[in-house]
Amino acid sequence: MDLDPRQYEHVSISDGDVRKVVLSYLVHNCFNETAEAFIACTGMKKPLDYPVEMEKRKLIFRFALEGNALKAIELTKELAPNLLEENKDLHFDLLSLHFVDLVRSRKCTEALEFAQNQLTPFGKVQKYVGKLEDFMALLAYEEPEKSPMFHLLSLDFRQNVADGINRAILAHSNLPCYSSMERLVQQTTVVRQYLEQELGKDGPPPFSLKAFMKS
């Protein structure tokens, strides 16, 4: 059983705060037109830190999600100079995404040449060695989609890379890496976990967003 709604129905939440949470989600996820319409129909004032490069960030996210990593890299260098030089993990993920796209397209020779020129230097750093081995192992299979590393070819992998670059660009612009809505859910989850540990069976059950949405 979840918390009885009567325990929190009396808590007052201002409409202004709710609108800010919604706008934060729209801006974070690059829903530019929807955000502009939301501001107009609610009469909100546009925040001082309202991003002006949302469309370009949206393009970068889309290119990464589609597996067009080279275009995502190009636009990232325009929007956030030095970001990829400073964030080697992100740069590695994007280069790996291009390698995977070549493998998926059965351009194995091109993929091998790209790996030798662009990915091999990362092998000097221990934390990348295991990842490189997994990526290179894709070349050993005629049908990499059926290999033990099939997840590297999945939409989930591209989604993770796209989310990562979106958060990195926001941080580079001194904006929150997560939307207010995400942070509320994160904090709620942690608080409920803490209460469960402290109070045991007398405490509330662990927070489940899925269960809450059904309540």
Side-chain angles (χ1 to χ4, degrees):
M1 293 292 292
D2 208 339
L3 290 176
D4 187 332
R6 290 174 296 182
Q7 293 180 270
Y8 53 79
E9 283 179 344
H10 66 283
V11 178
S12 177
I13 306 295
S14 73
D15 289 343
D17 288 339
V18 173
R19 289 169 183 164
K20 289 177 182 177
V21 170
V22 173
L23 182 61
S24 168
Y25 177 82
L26 296 175
V27 169
H28 178 88
N29 291 285
C30 307
F31 298 130
N32 192 20
E33 294 181 1
T34 306
E36 294 285 353
F38 183 74
I39 290 172
C41 74
T42 59
M44 293 178 67
K45 290 184 178 180
K46 187 174 290 188
L48 295 176
D49 60 352
Y50 190 80
V52 296
E53 296 283 3
M54 205 185 311
E55 281 301 318
K56 185 169 287 187
R57 183 161 56 86
K58 183 177 182 178
L59 278 175
I60 293 170
F61 181 89
R62 192 190 77 193
F63 282 132
L65 193 60
E66 293 173 351
N68 191 347
L70 295 186
K71 191 63 179 178
I73 289 173
E74 177 187 337
L75 291 180
T76 298
K77 289 180 177 179
E78 292 178 9
L79 181 59
N82 303 320
L83 172 59
L84 297 180
E85 286 76 9
E86 296 168 358
N87 192 331
K88 296 297 183 183
D89 289 349
L90 179 61
H91 197 192
F92 176 80
D93 286 343
L94 286 167
L95 292 173
S96 300
L97 195 61
H98 180 63
F99 172 83
V100 167
D101 189 57
L102 292 173
V103 172
R104 184 186 296 108
S105 302
R106 300 301 192 266
K107 299 178 180 179
C108 295
T109 300
E110 189 176 341
L112 181 58
E113 292 176 354
F114 179 81
Q116 290 173 337
N117 293 328
Q118 300 294 329
L119 294 176
T120 298
F122 287 90
K124 298 176 182 178
V125 181
Q126 185 59 39
K127 68 177 179 177
Y128 297 118
V129 173
K131 294 180 180 180
L132 282 171
E133 290 175 348
D134 287 345
F135 285 116
M136 296 304 296
L138 291 170
L139 294 173
Y141 295 86
E142 291 185 6
E143 297 182 79
E145 295 84 359
K146 296 181 181 179
S147 73
M149 287 68 65
F150 70 92
H151 61 280
L152 298 174
L153 300 166
S154 69
L155 176 60
D156 285 344
F157 177 71
R158 299 197 301 276
Q159 180 76 53
N160 287 336
V161 175
D163 287 339
I165 193 169
N166 188 45
R167 289 194 295 268
I169 291 172
L170 287 167
H172 190 266
S173 302
N174 296 316
L175 294 170
C177 298
Y178 294 90
S179 68
S180 298
M181 191 176 298
E182 290 173 301
R183 284 180 284 155
L184 278 171
V185 174
Q186 290 169 340
Q187 291 179 23
T188 300
T189 302
V190 171
V191 169
R192 290 280 288 271
Q193 288 174 342
Y194 177 79
L195 288 175
E196 183 190 24
Q197 292 171 0
E198 288 294 306
L199 302 177
K201 64 180 182 180
D202 295 324
F207 178 73
S208 167
L209 181 60
K210 184 177 181 179
F212 177 78
M213 295 296 291
K214 291 180 179 180
S215 64

